[in-house]
Amino acid sequence: MSQPTLSLTKDLTIRFSEVDSMGVVWHGAYALYLEDAREAFGLKYGLDYMGMVARGFYVPMVDMHIRYRQPIIYGQAVTLRIDYVPTEAAKLIFEYTLTDSQTGEVLCTARTIQVFIHKSDRRLAWTCPDFYDAWKARWNIHA
């Protein structure tokens, strides 16, 4: 049985509050776009932040790479795609692609890594939490 691709697409229209004085998306707004995508992904696939906290884990960001390919401007319609990257490690890896909704041109690519931290004592989890293993089994995910 093949492994499913867990992904989600989200449409954005760039708001005035997200751009600088040149009308170009401010670099700090990209991190918020990625966060919104992770939140929507988690709600769709049952891996939401508050659910992980309720299970005793925080999931902080430890690595974020953003590659800006083309400027994104005020009013532009953008499609953001997030893809889950399977791994055996106790971490969450996502890849992102932002494209112009009309032309399909790639505007930005990104990758993030989050780790599991025990809520009780803030220790790093070296093995996958049981709920995460169960989640991967539910979606037939294997690295």
Side-chain angles (χ1 to χ4, degrees), residues 113-128:
I113 300 174
Q114 295 165 268
V115 296
F116 292 96
I117 301 287
H118 294 273
K119 183 178 168 187
S120 60
D121 58 10
R122 300 193 185 243
R123 285 181 304 109
L124 178 65
W126 290 102
T127 59
C128 292

Side-chain angles (χ1 to χ4, degrees), residues 12-124:
L12 310 169
T13 300
I14 304 306
R15 302 174 307 164
F16 182 76
S17 62
E18 299 164 342
V19 300
D20 60 20
S21 61
M22 297 179 291
V24 174
V25 171
W26 174 65
H27 68 276
Y30 288 82
L32 296 175
Y33 299 154
L34 305 183
E35 182 72 38
D36 288 346
R38 286 190 305 279
E39 184 175 23
F41 179 95
L43 292 172
K44 177 179 179 179
Y45 290 105
L47 195 63
D48 59 288
Y49 286 130
M50 296 315 293
M52 290 186 277
V53 170
R55 289 175 178 91
F57 291 88
Y58 295 123
V59 193
M61 185 72 54
V62 294
D63 195 31
M64 181 184 307
H65 291 271
I66 300 174
R67 183 169 183 203
Y68 308 97
R69 296 174 178 260
Q70 294 292 326
I72 300 176
I73 59 172
Y74 171 69
Q76 188 170 6
V78 175
T79 300
L80 170 55
R81 179 183 168 114
I82 180 174
D83 293 292
Y84 172 80
V85 178
T87 179
E88 290 182 18
K91 56 184 161 184
L92 296 173
I93 303 173
F94 293 102
E95 292 180 342
Y96 312 79
T97 306
L98 284 84
T99 57
D100 182 289
S101 297
Q102 293 178 347
T103 67
E105 179 180 21
V106 175
L107 307 169
C108 176
T109 57
R111 181 178 175 97
T112 60
I113 300 174
Q114 295 165 268
V115 296
F116 292 96
I117 301 287
H118 294 273
K119 183 178 168 187
S120 60
D121 58 10
R122 300 193 185 243
R123 285 181 304 109
L124 178 65

